[in-house]
Every structure is written in structure tokens, then in C-alpha cells.
Amino acid sequence: MAGVVATAEQSRRSVVSLYLLMGLLLLIVTLGGLLLGAVSVTLADVWHMLGVKTGLSDRAENLTDSVLWAIRLPRVLAGALVGAGLGVAGVGLQGTFRNPLADPHLVGIAPAAGLGAIAGIAVTPAGGGSLLLMLGAVVGAVMVGLLMRRLAANTLDSGQLILIGLALGLALLALLGAVVLAWDSPRVPTFNFWIFGGLSGTTWGRLGAAVPFVVVGSGAVLWLGRSLDVLALGERDASHLGVDVGALTTFSLVAAGSAIGGAVGLAGVIGFVGLVVPLVLRRVVGPGHRHLAGVSALGGAIALVVLDTAARTLAAPIEIPVGLLTAICGAPVLVWVMLRRTP
Amino acid sequence: MTSAAVAVSDVAVSRNGHWLLQEVSFEAAPGEVVGIVGPNGAGKSTLLRVLAGDIHPSRGDAFLLGQTAATLTLRQLALIRGFVGPQTASEVAFLVRKVVAMGRHPYGDEDGEAARQIVDETLQRLDVDGLAHRELRTLSSGEQQRVAIARAVVQDTGVLLLDEPTSTLDLRHQELVMEVLRQLAAEAKSVVAVLHDLNLAAAYADRILLMAGGRVQAFGTPQEVLTSDRLSAAYDRAVEVMRHPFRDCPLVLSAG
């Protein structure tokens, strides 16, 4: 028995160490994202900007401060927020559908969020903020999430669910493309933004509108982690352990939909983050949803900050759509993980 | 209302115009093991699911600790009865210890000291302590079945319902599981188990409910219920019953 307690303690310590390590890594890549770019910036510049903006420094604001504050900092923070939201939402969907391949993109939820965002833009008055855009994205994501749950109840296996999700997602993307092309308004981001995603032009206002949806949605997925663990035993066993499976899956899809809606409203449809990050980290922390969601938030944030920094610096002054990089990096990792999966 | 731990009163269940159960009544007292036996299609598992609160009867009521099962919430049910379903291969990647600890989910104390203690004790009790740090999906079906029983024991409910709990177990572990069920009864819990092995039922059950065609054929002690005539009629096959050479109970033999 002492051995069991020691093992549990070791396990707890290693998870805490992982959180600390990933937190440190996120800090480093965030700083890297602030330093790298067309305008040369040093750590001292970052420090100066923070001092000026927080009122701790009485020195005058300079051009570098403006670049950092208005462009780079919101963009890097948006990358972290979107990556974290997609990582956690991926864990939530995988737990809800009891399918390790469930992903915001593959089950059609992210494209639905894109379509919902455009509907939100349509009803936003000229000069209005981004709140209706975000709300539209969340509503679109939640509606398709709940539709997929209904379909999942009638499908025979996990492969069918993914195929149905892919078909639905492609149809929604086609519809989204038709709407964007037909509308042709400067208020609507280009089709490229919706299919490949992008963080250029992130403003504090749009970031601020996305934060509540991503944070609350992600927090709810974390809170539901224990019940999602029990759901992994199967719906009947979970029900015998007191879990209201219908309520749990609805709440979980609303939570994941909120995080996905906020992420898509801010950065368009970015694939692979919600799939690959949890798949890789599941091998490190195991299948427990609470820790998996926690480390996937950090892992998703790190991945997207790094890839977005690469997207705007690798071929500067041309910017590579970040969704291209997540696909290029994510696809081989996905194949590797799937080939190494325990039968 | 009744003071029995488990009571079924004139229960009938109909599905698509077909009666799965009719006029089923029986009781199980605290500290009692009741074995439900009968041929395939007799309605044993349906009756167990009525008791579990999964199926609401078309007529009659099922009571758990004096409360109508059909009116309880899922959490209330989970605090009153544990349920072990028929064994199916599990692909769950959680470690065995974690799966067993999930039995504490209704209490919300999976990580607490009291839970840790009962989990450790139960792992040993069901001889799965050596498997505690293996993933559930890597275990044999018999090992998975013992883990499922351990999880229900950890749930620490007044009533334990089991559907064929020994179906995939070897001889030693069949006896072990039945002994654990007897120990639980000795702790004033009420155990109701569907059993296909009539000799296990004869050896370990205080009372046996014999079912056929969705109806109760007999309910009483093993000596009262397990008679050659009753079993031959219920199973539509010649069955001989004699005194067990080593145990104080009937021994059932197929005479076909």
C-alpha cells in the first residue's frame, strides 16, 4: 500500500513538473514572438513598453512601444489564447464523443463557427465591435456540436463519425466560401482567413471579445474532466455511477463550442491543433481529461505562438497563413502518433 | 413501501407489444444474497435493469432501500445501488486503479484518503492489486470482469446488482467473487446476482429466484427451488439434482 501511495505522489510531482516546464516554455516562446519580426526588438524594448503601458515608467512612448503594444503583443497573446482554446476543446470533444480523432475541424464544428461568425458580422451595425461575431461563432459551433452528438448516437463506429464530420465540415466550408465570395465586403475577412486561419490584424478589441468565450469554455471543459473520465467507461457504466450522460455531453459540447467559437472568431479555422496536441500529450500524461486538458491548453498555446511567429518571419515580408504551417507540422505528427498507437 | 433492501412488486415490462416480464414479485433482505437463475430469455437481465433504475416497469414498482427506483435521480441511485453489467471487452486506457476509484464518483471523493483506503482494500479483495498499474484494455476478459466488480464494491452501496458476474472467470476466481459477495452480505448489504451456474447459485445464494418466460417460477431457498422437476420444466431439459458431496446444498447435473 505504501508503494501505491508513493507512486501516486511521484505521479503528482511529475505532472506538476510538466505544468511548470510547459509554463516556462510558453513564457519563452511568447517572449520570442514579441522579439522576432520585421521591426527589430530587444528584451529591453519589451520591458520599456510594459513600463510605459502600465504607468510604471515615466519615459515617453516610442515607435517600438507602439509596434509592440498595438501589433505584436495582441497577436502573440491571441496565438496563445487560440492555441489553448483549441487544445482544450479538442480534449473536450474527444472525451464527449469517446473518440481520440474528434477534433474541432474533423467533426465540422470549426467550419460551423466560421459560418456563425459571418452571420454575426452580418447583424453587427457598422462600427460595432466583435461581440456579435464571437457570439455567432459560438452559436454555430454549439449547434453543429449538438447535431454531431445526435448523429454519433446513430453511427456504428468512430470512423463513421469522423467521415460524417468531414463531409459536414466540407459542406459548411463550401457554404462559407459562397457567402464570403457573394458578399464581397471589406467587413468580412477573406476566404483564405476562414480556411487557413490567421492572426494578422488582431486588435485588442477583438482579442478582448474572444477571451471570455475561450476562457469560460475551456474552464468548463476542465471542470467536467472527472465526469468525462467516467464517461470513457461507456454511457451505461457512467450512468450507473451517477453521471447524467445527456446533460454531461450537452454541457461539454456547449463548453467546447464556446472555446472553439472564440478561437475561430479571432483567428479563423486552424486545423490540427485541437487534434494533434491532445493526441501527443495523452501519451505523456495519460487519458485523464482534467490534466490532459490542462497540459493541452499549454501545449496548444506553445504550438500556435511558435507557428504564428514562424508564419510571419520565415518568408517575411510575405506572411504564410498559420493554418498551412499547423497542417504541415501536424499531419506528420498525427501519422506518427497513429502508427505508434497501442493496438 | 417495504423494509426489505430490495423489493419488486408485481412488475411487468412490455416492449413493442411483447411482455418481457409479468407479475414478478420478490424481496431481498439486508444481508441476503439472492441468485436469479433461468434459461436464456427468461427476463433475468431485464429484471436486474428494472432494479437498477435503467428500465421503468410498465406496471408495478421496484424498491431499493424503501424508495421507488423509477423516481430516483441517477446520483441517488448511484448512492444506493452498485451495478455490474454483463462483461464486454473494454478498450479503456485508464489504469486499473483509476477505474476502480471511479466507483467513488457519486461521492466526489476519488482522491480522498477514505477512498484510497477502500480502493486498496478492494483491489486486494478481488485479487487485482497486482494489476493496479496496468491499463484496463490490456487485461483479459476475466481480469476486466474482476475490475468491474471491484469498482462496484468501491461504490459502497447498500444494494449490489450483478449480471453474470462470473461468466468469464476461472474456477478459483468464480469462488473468490462469490465469497466476496457473501462477505458483502455479511456487512448487511443486499446482493442480487443473475447467475447461469446453478451450482454456484446453490452454494452461495440464500434464496434463488427461478424465472422462465418472463415470469417467476419459484422463489425460495436453494433446496426449495432447485428441484429436478422445476429445473427440467424451466430449462426444457432433463436435470438431476442430488446432494452436494462436500457442501450443504443441492448439486445440479444435466441429465441429457
Side-chain angles (χ1 to χ4, degrees), chain A residues 29-68:
Chain A
V29 300
T30 301
L31 273 175
L34 291 173
L35 299 182
L36 296 172
V39 175
S40 181
V41 171
T42 64
L43 265 178
D45 293 329
V46 173
W47 193 247
H48 182 260
M49 177 271 293
L50 290 173
V52 168
K53 289 297 174 185
T54 56
L56 294 174
S57 167
D58 52 4
R59 292 165 60 184
E61 182 171 342
N62 57 32
L63 179 65
T64 307
D65 293 336
S66 303
V67 168
L68 275 172

Side-chain angles (χ1 to χ4, degrees), chain B residues 168-237:
Chain B
T168 61
L169 301 185
D170 60 51
L171 190 64
R172 179 169 80 89
H173 288 110
Q174 286 180 19
E175 299 285 341
L176 172 76
V177 163
M178 295 309 294
E179 282 162 11
V180 168
L181 297 185
R182 281 248 53 105
Q183 291 163 11
L184 292 170
E187 294 164 15
K189 297 180 190 301
S190 184
V191 178
V192 179
V194 169
L195 294 165
H196 270 303
D197 187 329
L198 297 172
N199 290 313
L200 276 182
Y204 288 97
D206 296 301
R207 286 194 287 176
I208 289 178
L209 184 76
L210 174 63
M211 297 186 67
R215 292 174 181 273
V216 174
Q217 305 300 311
F219 181 50
T221 64
Q223 286 78 4
E224 289 166 350
V225 173
L226 301 180
T227 64
S228 178
D229 289 347
R230 282 209 174 99
L231 293 177
S232 297
Y235 286 89
D236 193 21
R237 182 178 176 86

Side-chain angles (χ1 to χ4, degrees), chain A residues 1 3-5 7-8 226-230 232-234 236-237 239-245 286-289 341-343, chain B residues 49 52 54 74-75 78 81 83 91-94 97-99 102-103 105-106 110-111 116 120-121 124 133 136-137 151 155:
Chain A
M1 199 176 294
V4 170
V5 174
T7 307
R226 282 265 163 79
S227 296
L228 290 173
D229 289 350
V230 178
L233 298 175
R236 186 172 290 183
D237 281 2
S239 163
H240 288 142
L241 290 169
V243 174
D244 184 337
V245 173
H289 291 86
R341 270 185 82 188
T342 309
Chain B
R49 293 189 60 203
D54 293 348
L74 289 169
R75 185 165 176 278
R81 59 93 184 99
F83 185 92
E91 290 301 313
V92 169
F94 282 107
R97 193 171 204 293
K98 166 82 176 171
V99 172
M102 285 182 193
H105 187 73
E110 289 104 308
D111 294 329
R116 187 173 296 171
D120 288 336
E121 286 169 7
Q124 285 183 354
H133 297 288
L136 184 67
R137 63 184 174 181
R151 195 184 70 222
Q155 208 171 329

Side-chain angles (χ1 to χ4, degrees), chain B residues 8 15 27 30 42 50 56 63 65 82 137 142 146-148 166 169 186 188 211 228 232-233 235 238 240 242 252 256:
Chain B
V8 173
R15 285 285 181 275
E27 288 187 352
V50 169
H56 292 188
F63 300 95
L65 304 184
R137 63 184 174 181
R146 279 184 281 139
V147 171
T166 59
L169 301 185
M211 297 186 67
S228 178
S232 297
Y235 286 89
E240 285 297 325
M242 57 185 68
V252 180

